[in-house]
Amino acid sequence: MAAKKTTAKKKTSNKRLFRVGQNVVYPAHGVGIVQSIDQEVIAGFDIEVYTVHFEQDKMTLRVPTVKAATSGMRALSNELILKDSFTTLKGRARIKRTMWSRRAQEYEAKINSGDLILVSEVVRDLHRTDAQPEQSYSERQLYERAIDRMVREVAAIRKSSRDAALEDVLDTLAKARSRQAAKAAKDAEAANKDDEAAA
């Protein structure tokens, strides 16, 4: 009997995707840390759970270890995905010409996907420079949630402070926007010259 018990225990530990002290991303809440792996009795069943703490929300979540993967909980993104997310920030904002309520739902879905690239798309699309019109209240809220999610994961991957990660994200956005503005001005100037030459 004793031998059987140990193999059963080994089996459950083999299924564990995360370890205590590891930073993880949970789609609806962003970056958290696995504080412990506990046994809990839920509806009469003995269930092993990850106890994940989210410092920013002052919240603790218990995720059954067997359901961690299907819940969307994942390890931090790797360096390649991190690089891609910054490349995404440098791109041109893609604003669909649909009603705001529809776009807001799409942005919300991207933020809650837990996918760093999709979150960086929301940051890129909703970012405003000083020269651009002011954001509406709901736009601002979505932008702040997206940038907070992105910055926390960037900081956790780089083991840097949240402020340093935020500065890097904002700096990348500012440089990309000024490059785009300079290119637009150059294109407009070239188009004017062509018009003058045609006239």
Side-chain angles (χ1 to χ4, degrees):
M1 279 295 273
K4 268 188 182 173
K5 266 193 173 171
T6 36
T7 49
K9 267 212 166 146
K10 268 189 181 165
K11 268 185 187 171
T12 53
S13 61
N14 284 347
K15 282 181 191 166
R16 287 183 192 159
L17 299 170
F18 312 106
R19 64 184 187 281
V20 174
Q22 183 178 355
N23 278 310
V24 292
V25 176
Y26 193 83
H29 304 292
V31 176
I33 188 162
V34 178
Q35 282 192 324
S36 58
I37 298 170
D38 307 303
Q39 291 289 337
E40 289 202 354
V41 178
I42 301 169
F45 293 97
D46 197 18
I47 292 172
E48 187 181 62
V49 296
Y50 293 113
T51 300
V52 185
H53 182 66
F54 300 89
E55 181 56 44
Q56 68 273 21
D57 301 325
K58 301 279 181 276
M59 186 188 86
T60 300
L61 196 66
R62 283 170 183 78
V63 184
T65 53
V66 292
K67 290 194 176 161
T70 52
S71 72
M73 192 161 116
R74 64 170 175 83
L76 293 175
S77 298
N78 59 32
E79 288 293 334
L80 198 63
I81 294 172
L82 180 64
K83 195 178 170 195
D84 284 349
S85 72
F86 274 86
T87 304
T88 300
L89 287 184
K90 291 172 188 170
R92 190 174 289 281
R94 296 196 178 109
I95 311 293
K96 287 185 182 171
R97 303 245 173 266
T98 52
M99 282 173 63
W100 166 247
S101 58
R102 184 73 167 277
R103 281 188 7 243
Q105 279 180 332
E106 287 176 15
Y107 290 142
E108 189 84 44
K110 283 183 177 184
I111 294 168
N112 289 331
S113 71
D115 183 313
L116 185 59
I117 306 288
L118 293 179
V119 173
S120 52
E121 282 178 14
V122 179
V123 174
R124 176 199 68 198
D125 293 351
L126 292 180
H127 179 72
R128 291 275 184 279
T129 62
D130 293 338
Q132 288 175 302
E134 193 72 21
Q135 287 170 318
S136 70
Y137 176 71
S138 55
E139 266 186 309
R140 182 89 201 148
Q141 275 196 315
L142 281 170
Y143 172 71
E144 283 177 356
R145 271 185 56 211
I147 202 164
D148 184 61
R149 283 284 170 87
M150 182 176 186
V151 161
R152 285 184 192 285
E153 186 162 2
V154 170
I157 294 165
R158 291 181 172 166
K159 295 181 172 56
S160 69
S161 70
R162 187 187 177 282
D163 289 348
L166 178 62
E167 197 176 315
D168 198 11
V169 168
L170 292 175
D171 189 45
T172 302
L173 285 163
K175 281 178 180 166
R177 292 296 157 94
S178 60
R179 264 198 309 273
Q180 287 158 13
K183 186 182 182 302
K186 203 175 175 184
D187 291 348
E189 198 181 311
N192 281 342
K193 277 183 182 165
D194 289 345
D195 289 347
E196 282 166 18

